[in-house]
Amino acid sequence: NSATPTENLQKLLMLRHISNFFDGAYGSPSTKSENLASIFTRTQLRPEETLCVGDGADDQRAANDAGCHFVAIARPANENWSAPAANTTYRLDDLTGLRKTIERIDRSLAR
C-alpha cells in the first residue's frame, strides 16, 4: 500500500525482482485508506487481523481509519511524523525489531 502510482509501483517491484513476494501492489490514485478497504475485500481479512507497518503519518492515519494494528518505523530525525503519530504504541527505528513486535502484539491479543 503506497502513495506511489500503482503502475509505477508494480514496475518497481518487477524491476527489483520482488513482485513474487506480494499478492498485490496498491498505489495512487486511490488513497491508502481506499487501498486497505480493497485489500480487505479481496482477501476477506478483517482489520483487527491486520498489521500495517509504515514510515509516515499518512500510513498511521490509514491504519487507524481502517481499524488495523500499526507499527511506526520512525527514526528520531524522521520529519514525516506529526506529534500524535510519533506517540504510537508500537514504534521502531527500523525493521529489525518487527518480529518481536509482532509477537508482542499477538500476546496482547491472546489475552
Side-chain angles (χ1 to χ4, degrees):
N1 189 6
S2 175
T4 301
T6 299
E7 186 176 327
N8 295 352
L9 180 61
Q10 291 170 343
K11 284 180 187 176
L12 178 65
L13 295 174
M14 288 180 65
L15 288 171
R16 291 188 176 179
H17 305 288
I18 58 173
S19 60
N20 58 315
F21 292 106
F22 298 88
D23 291 331
Y26 298 79
S28 65
S30 298
T31 67
K32 289 184 179 185
S33 293
E34 291 168 338
N35 288 340
L36 282 174
S38 295
I39 291 166
F40 296 140
T41 299
R42 183 173 170 264
T43 63
Q44 297 183 345
L45 289 171
R46 295 186 319 263
E48 60 273 13
E49 299 174 312
T50 306
L51 173 66
C52 293
V53 179
D55 63 356
D58 60 334
D59 298 312
Q60 186 182 31
R61 245 187 326 276
N64 288 345
D65 289 349
C68 301
H69 302 279
F70 182 73
V71 174
I73 305 299
R75 288 191 169 90
N78 187 344
E79 296 176 14
N80 291 327
W81 289 102
S82 64
N87 295 322
T88 185
T89 303
Y90 304 105
R91 180 178 177 173
L92 302 170
D93 288 340
D94 55 44
L95 294 175
T96 57
L98 186 58
R99 179 183 297 254
K100 286 183 181 180
T101 301
I102 292 170
E103 291 168 357
R104 188 172 141 207
I105 294 167
D106 255 355
R107 283 191 305 273
S108 74
L109 295 175
R111 295 181 193 157

